[in-house]
Amino acid sequence: MNLILLGAPGAGKGTQAEVISSNLNIPQISTGNILREAVKNGTEYGLKAKAAMDAGDLVSDDVVIGILKDRIARDDCKNGFILDGFPRTVPQAEALDNMGVQIDKVLEIHVEDETIKSRLSGRRVCEDCGATYHIEFNPTKTEGKCDKCGGNAVQRKDDAPETVIERLKTYHEKTAPLKDYYEKQGKLETVVGQDTVEATSKLVLKAVGA
Ligand code: AMP
């Protein structure tokens, strides 16, 4: 099954993508994680992407489409995948269609902006494996350490309040139109994000038939 998870930054896409990934045994493909890794390693496209990411803006379509194309060509995607954070613009969605990639379902996790602003201030992300946590709603077992790999769980630079406002603006302007795009293809299903990860996961797993 090929799935897309849509939602504003901080709606819980990454966490729910992990849950679906382990339940359906298909890889989670997060363009944000791939880009952060590239920035960390100082690769050519990492250097190009850094300024946009730090400002809460989107990285250019050409760069992310290239990344995505390479990633889904890999063997582990043969039986399906979950796209987490891609597409984020209509041209990215069109590129996916033009590649002949068949998408089975697009799941939107809907969370109000005000809730997102307070959630992101408590979010922590593992520097090494990208697993996400929240200091209140989904804490690491040991403070500051990733449960999965033991890496440092830290606040992302772009989770700073001013950057979050920019990211939400970008989401409403550039990404939210994808709801219409996939609604017209009959693929969109919306799940309302709940107060706990577990409650949202129940709805999400039901929506994907897991
Ligand atoms: P995320 O971890 O999904 O919130 O992504 C972090 C940042 O990476 C975003 O704010 C963008 O700057 C960049 N990014 C991730 N995915 C995309 C994408 N599909 N298109 C453009 N920029 C992206």
Side-chain angles (χ1 to χ4, degrees), residues 9 13 30-33 35-36 49 52-53 56-61 64 84-89 92 123 156 158 167:
K13 289 189 303 292
S30 158
T31 42
N33 285 351
L35 286 166
R36 273 185 290 279
M53 292 172 79
D57 216 338
L58 293 184
V59 173
S60 77
D61 285 338
V64 281
D84 155 24
F86 186 99
R88 254 176 158 104
T89 63
Q92 290 178 22
R123 177 157 84 169
R156 269 168 49 173
D158 60 353
R167 288 165 69 203

Side-chain angles (χ1 to χ4, degrees), residues 141-153:
K141 291 192 181 97
T142 308
E143 204 185 317
K145 293 284 168 205
C146 177
D147 293 353
K148 294 193 178 146
C149 75
N152 288 327

Side-chain angles (χ1 to χ4, degrees), residues 51-187:
M53 292 172 79
D54 283 352
D57 216 338
L58 293 184
V59 173
S60 77
D61 285 338
D62 284 358
V63 169
V64 281
I65 290 167
I67 291 174
L68 201 273
K69 216 173 181 172
D70 288 349
R71 180 61 188 87
I72 60 175
R74 277 164 50 183
D75 266 5
D76 63 342
C77 290
K78 284 212 172 96
N79 296 325
F81 50 77
I82 307 153
L83 301 185
D84 155 24
F86 186 99
R88 254 176 158 104
T89 63
V90 170
Q92 290 178 22
E94 288 169 347
L96 210 50
D97 285 344
N98 293 337
M99 282 178 223
V101 176
Q102 179 63 40
I103 298 297
D104 299 297
K105 189 168 251 186
V106 178
L107 206 59
E108 183 219 355
I109 305 181
H110 181 82
V111 176
E112 296 297 327
D113 284 6
E114 286 314 306
T115 313
I116 282 178
K117 286 180 197 161
S118 68
R119 272 192 193 180
L120 287 184
S121 62
R123 177 157 84 169
R124 298 293 180 267
V125 179
C126 175
E127 283 181 325
D128 292 339
C129 76
T132 55
Y133 301 93
H134 190 282
I135 50 174
E136 198 182 334
F137 308 121
N138 178 29
T140 51
K141 291 192 181 97
T142 308
E143 204 185 317
K145 293 284 168 205
C146 177
D147 293 353
K148 294 193 178 146
C149 75
N152 288 327
V154 298
Q155 181 166 50
R156 269 168 49 173
K157 212 170 169 185
D158 60 353
D159 280 346
E162 324 78 70
T163 317
V164 167
I165 291 169
E166 276 312 305
R167 288 165 69 203
L168 282 170
K169 209 168 123 210
T170 304
Y171 173 76
H172 290 297
E173 279 174 17
K174 299 189 176 153
T175 308
L178 290 176
K179 289 190 256 176
D180 258 6
Y181 184 93
Y182 287 116
E183 176 85 68
K184 285 192 185 121
Q185 294 189 1
K187 292 176 181 165

